[in-house]
């Protein structure tokens, strides 16, 4: 009889990665690039970090997991520059789609202005009274 148990996330991730790689082989899918990586781009004023973004590439998809700019530097187009840097990186690495999410009180208009389209909304996520908005931008037609 099987049982369920909590375990180290790294151990499970390694095991699941093996299963997914096996699945690709079984379905004759030859993916020529690195499957996954995390990339960080920082924005600096002199030597001081004043903003940045974290993104995760998985196959031909890029997910921007975090983007923030120090309040003292907002209005200087740093957010736009970070998005442009992410898109440039994505194109260089043959990414087809970029996705991200934000909360309704954060940067919905900013991402729409940057060319991202809303593909979903979930109310009361991550907590009551807040809506999470999901965006996508297709880079290759």
């Amino acid at each position: 009889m099987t049982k369920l148990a909590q375990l180290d996330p790294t151990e499970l991730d390694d095991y699941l990665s093996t299963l997914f790689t096996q699945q690709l082989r079984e379905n004759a899918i030859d993916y020529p690039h690195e499957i996954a990586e995390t990339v960080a781009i920082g924005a600096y004023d002199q030597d001081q970090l004043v903003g940045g973004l974290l993104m995760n590439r998985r196959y031909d998809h890029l997910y921007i997991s975090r983007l923030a700019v120090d309040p003292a530097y907002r209005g200087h187009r740093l957010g736009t520059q970070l998005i442009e840097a992410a898109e440039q990186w994505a194109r260089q690495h043959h990414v087809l789609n970029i996705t991200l999410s934000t909360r309704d009180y954060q940067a919905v208009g900013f991402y729409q202005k940057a060319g991202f389209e809303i593909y979903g909304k979930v109310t009361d996520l991550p907590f009551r009274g807040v809506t999470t908005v999901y965006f996508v931008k297709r880079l290759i037609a």
Side-chain angles (χ1 to χ4, degrees):
M1 182 167 179
T2 60
K3 68 176 185 171
L4 301 180
Q6 192 169 351
L7 70 153
D8 176 67
T10 303
E11 179 184 348
L12 181 59
D13 187 48
D14 290 345
Y15 174 72
L16 294 177
S17 292
T18 302
L19 293 178
F20 288 128
T21 300
Q22 180 183 1
Q23 219 176 30
L24 286 174
R25 272 191 238 115
E26 289 171 357
N27 289 285
I29 298 171
D30 182 24
Y31 187 75
H33 308 292
E34 185 176 341
I35 290 174
E37 64 186 302
T38 300
V39 178
I41 299 175
Y44 291 86
D45 182 2
Q46 309 282 332
D47 292 333
Q48 180 182 349
L49 185 61
V50 297
L53 65 80
L54 284 173
M55 46 193 187
N56 303 300
R57 182 176 66 83
R58 187 117 173 112
Y59 301 103
D60 294 335
H61 167 251
L62 183 69
Y63 174 68
I64 297 176
S65 58
R66 292 182 161 203
L67 186 154
V69 174
D70 185 295
Y73 289 85
R74 292 185 187 149
H76 295 95
R77 300 196 73 249
L78 285 180
T80 300
Q81 291 173 40
L82 287 165
I83 288 291
E84 289 170 351
E87 289 180 22
Q88 180 181 11
W89 186 94
R91 284 186 174 91
Q92 290 170 348
H93 291 85
H94 313 287
V95 167
L96 302 175
N97 296 292
I98 299 175
T99 60
L100 59 90
S101 64
T102 192
R103 309 223 167 93
D104 58 356
Y105 62 86
Q106 291 176 321
V108 173
F110 168 76
Y111 292 118
Q112 288 175 313
K113 187 176 176 183
F116 286 81
E117 296 179 28
I118 295 172
Y119 72 86
K121 294 181 182 184
V122 179
T123 56
D124 297 329
L125 182 72
F127 46 84
R128 188 179 309 278
V130 173
T131 297
T132 297
V133 182
Y134 296 90
F135 288 93
V136 65
K137 185 170 191 178
R138 183 140 175 100
L139 298 180
I140 299 173

